Short mmCIF file of all heavy atoms in Angstrom, two decimals:
data_model
loop_
_atom_site.label_atom_id
_atom_site.label_comp_id
_atom_site.label_asym_id
_atom_site.label_seq_id
_atom_site.Cartn_x
_atom_site.Cartn_y
_atom_site.Cartn_z
N LEU T 97 26.17 34.55 -271.01
CA LEU T 97 27.05 35.71 -271.17
C LEU T 97 28.43 35.44 -271.81
O LEU T 97 28.77 36.10 -272.77
CB LEU T 97 27.18 36.43 -269.82
CG LEU T 97 27.64 37.87 -269.88
CD1 LEU T 97 26.85 38.73 -270.81
CD2 LEU T 97 27.57 38.50 -268.46
N PRO T 98 29.19 34.45 -271.29
CA PRO T 98 30.53 34.25 -271.87
C PRO T 98 30.47 33.94 -273.37
O PRO T 98 31.23 34.55 -274.13
CB PRO T 98 31.08 33.07 -271.09
CG PRO T 98 30.23 32.93 -269.87
CD PRO T 98 28.90 33.54 -270.20
N GLY T 99 29.60 33.06 -273.77
CA GLY T 99 29.51 32.68 -275.17
C GLY T 99 29.03 33.83 -276.04
O GLY T 99 29.58 34.10 -277.11
N PHE T 100 28.07 34.56 -275.52
CA PHE T 100 27.53 35.69 -276.24
C PHE T 100 28.57 36.75 -276.51
O PHE T 100 28.75 37.23 -277.64
CB PHE T 100 26.36 36.32 -275.42
CG PHE T 100 25.71 37.49 -276.11
CD1 PHE T 100 24.71 37.29 -277.06
CD2 PHE T 100 26.05 38.77 -275.78
CE1 PHE T 100 24.11 38.37 -277.69
CE2 PHE T 100 25.45 39.86 -276.41
CZ PHE T 100 24.49 39.67 -277.35
N VAL T 101 29.34 37.07 -275.49
CA VAL T 101 30.44 38.06 -275.62
C VAL T 101 31.50 37.60 -276.59
O VAL T 101 31.95 38.32 -277.44
CB VAL T 101 31.03 38.41 -274.23
CG1 VAL T 101 32.31 39.22 -274.38
CG2 VAL T 101 30.02 39.19 -273.39
N GLU T 102 31.89 36.31 -276.48
CA GLU T 102 32.87 35.75 -277.41
C GLU T 102 32.41 35.87 -278.87
O GLU T 102 33.18 36.23 -279.72
CB GLU T 102 33.12 34.25 -277.10
CG GLU T 102 34.10 33.93 -276.03
CD GLU T 102 35.47 34.63 -276.16
OE1 GLU T 102 36.00 34.70 -277.32
OE2 GLU T 102 35.95 35.14 -275.16
N ARG T 103 31.19 35.54 -279.10
CA ARG T 103 30.66 35.51 -280.48
C ARG T 103 30.45 36.93 -281.02
O ARG T 103 30.72 37.22 -282.16
CB ARG T 103 29.38 34.67 -280.59
CG ARG T 103 29.66 33.19 -280.43
CD ARG T 103 28.35 32.42 -280.68
NE ARG T 103 27.33 32.68 -279.68
CZ ARG T 103 27.20 32.01 -278.52
NH1 ARG T 103 27.99 30.99 -278.26
NH2 ARG T 103 26.26 32.33 -277.68
N LEU T 104 29.97 37.81 -280.16
CA LEU T 104 29.70 39.20 -280.58
C LEU T 104 31.00 39.93 -280.91
O LEU T 104 31.11 40.62 -281.89
CB LEU T 104 28.91 39.92 -279.50
CG LEU T 104 28.43 41.33 -279.85
CD1 LEU T 104 27.44 41.27 -281.01
CD2 LEU T 104 27.77 41.99 -278.65
N PHE T 105 31.96 39.79 -280.03
CA PHE T 105 33.23 40.46 -280.23
C PHE T 105 34.24 39.51 -280.83
O PHE T 105 35.28 39.20 -280.28
CB PHE T 105 33.76 41.06 -278.92
CG PHE T 105 32.86 42.13 -278.39
CD1 PHE T 105 31.94 41.85 -277.40
CD2 PHE T 105 32.94 43.41 -278.88
CE1 PHE T 105 31.06 42.80 -276.92
CE2 PHE T 105 32.08 44.42 -278.40
CZ PHE T 105 31.17 44.11 -277.44
N CYS T 106 33.91 39.03 -282.05
CA CYS T 106 34.80 38.06 -282.71
C CYS T 106 35.76 38.83 -283.58
O CYS T 106 35.63 40.03 -283.80
CB CYS T 106 34.01 37.08 -283.51
SG CYS T 106 33.05 37.80 -284.83
N GLU T 107 36.75 38.12 -284.10
CA GLU T 107 37.71 38.75 -285.04
C GLU T 107 37.19 38.73 -286.45
O GLU T 107 36.11 38.17 -286.70
CB GLU T 107 39.07 38.01 -284.93
CG GLU T 107 39.74 38.20 -283.56
CD GLU T 107 39.97 39.65 -283.17
OE1 GLU T 107 40.33 40.47 -284.04
OE2 GLU T 107 39.77 40.01 -281.99
N ILE T 108 37.94 39.30 -287.38
CA ILE T 108 37.43 39.56 -288.71
C ILE T 108 37.00 38.30 -289.47
O ILE T 108 36.05 38.33 -290.25
CB ILE T 108 38.45 40.39 -289.51
CG1 ILE T 108 37.80 40.91 -290.80
CG2 ILE T 108 39.74 39.60 -289.82
CD1 ILE T 108 38.55 42.06 -291.46
N ASP T 109 37.64 37.18 -289.18
CA ASP T 109 37.25 35.94 -289.92
C ASP T 109 35.89 35.41 -289.48
O ASP T 109 35.35 34.49 -290.13
CB ASP T 109 38.33 34.87 -289.78
CG ASP T 109 38.80 34.66 -288.36
OD1 ASP T 109 38.31 35.44 -287.49
OD2 ASP T 109 39.61 33.76 -288.10
N GLY T 110 35.35 35.96 -288.41
CA GLY T 110 33.99 35.58 -288.00
C GLY T 110 32.91 36.49 -288.56
O GLY T 110 31.76 36.36 -288.16
N LEU T 111 33.33 37.42 -289.43
CA LEU T 111 32.40 38.44 -289.92
C LEU T 111 32.31 38.42 -291.45
O LEU T 111 33.20 38.00 -292.14
CB LEU T 111 32.88 39.83 -289.47
CG LEU T 111 32.99 40.06 -287.97
CD1 LEU T 111 33.76 41.31 -287.69
CD2 LEU T 111 31.62 40.12 -287.31
N GLN T 112 31.14 38.87 -291.95
CA GLN T 112 30.97 39.03 -293.39
C GLN T 112 29.99 40.16 -293.69
O GLN T 112 29.12 40.48 -292.87
CB GLN T 112 30.47 37.69 -293.99
CG GLN T 112 29.10 37.29 -293.46
CD GLN T 112 28.64 35.94 -293.99
OE1 GLN T 112 29.28 35.36 -294.83
NE2 GLN T 112 27.54 35.45 -293.48
N VAL T 113 30.18 40.77 -294.87
CA VAL T 113 29.25 41.80 -295.29
C VAL T 113 28.11 41.18 -296.06
O VAL T 113 28.32 40.38 -296.96
CB VAL T 113 29.96 42.87 -296.16
CG1 VAL T 113 28.97 43.78 -296.85
CG2 VAL T 113 30.91 43.72 -295.31
N LEU T 114 26.88 41.51 -295.69
CA LEU T 114 25.71 40.97 -296.40
C LEU T 114 24.79 42.14 -296.76
O LEU T 114 24.68 43.09 -295.98
CB LEU T 114 24.93 40.00 -295.50
CG LEU T 114 25.56 38.63 -295.19
CD1 LEU T 114 24.58 37.81 -294.36
CD2 LEU T 114 25.94 37.85 -296.42
N CYS T 115 24.15 42.04 -297.91
CA CYS T 115 23.14 43.04 -298.24
C CYS T 115 21.91 42.77 -297.37
O CYS T 115 21.76 41.70 -296.80
CB CYS T 115 22.78 42.96 -299.74
SG CYS T 115 21.82 41.49 -300.17
N SER T 116 21.03 43.79 -297.28
CA SER T 116 19.86 43.66 -296.38
C SER T 116 19.06 42.41 -296.69
O SER T 116 18.59 41.71 -295.80
CB SER T 116 18.98 44.88 -296.52
OG SER T 116 19.75 46.05 -296.47
N LYS T 117 18.88 42.17 -297.99
CA LYS T 117 18.08 41.01 -298.42
C LYS T 117 18.66 39.69 -297.93
O LYS T 117 17.96 38.86 -297.35
CB LYS T 117 17.97 41.02 -299.94
CG LYS T 117 16.57 40.80 -300.44
CD LYS T 117 16.56 40.95 -301.94
CE LYS T 117 15.25 40.47 -302.55
NZ LYS T 117 15.28 40.66 -304.02
#
Side-chain angles (χ1 to χ4, degrees):
L97 199 51
F100 181 83
V101 169
E102 275 309 317
R103 289 185 296 270
L104 186 63
F105 295 98
C106 62
E107 293 303 320
I108 193 163
D109 48 356
L111 300 166
Q112 62 184 354
V113 167
L114 291 182
C115 72
S116 314
K117 226 175 169 180

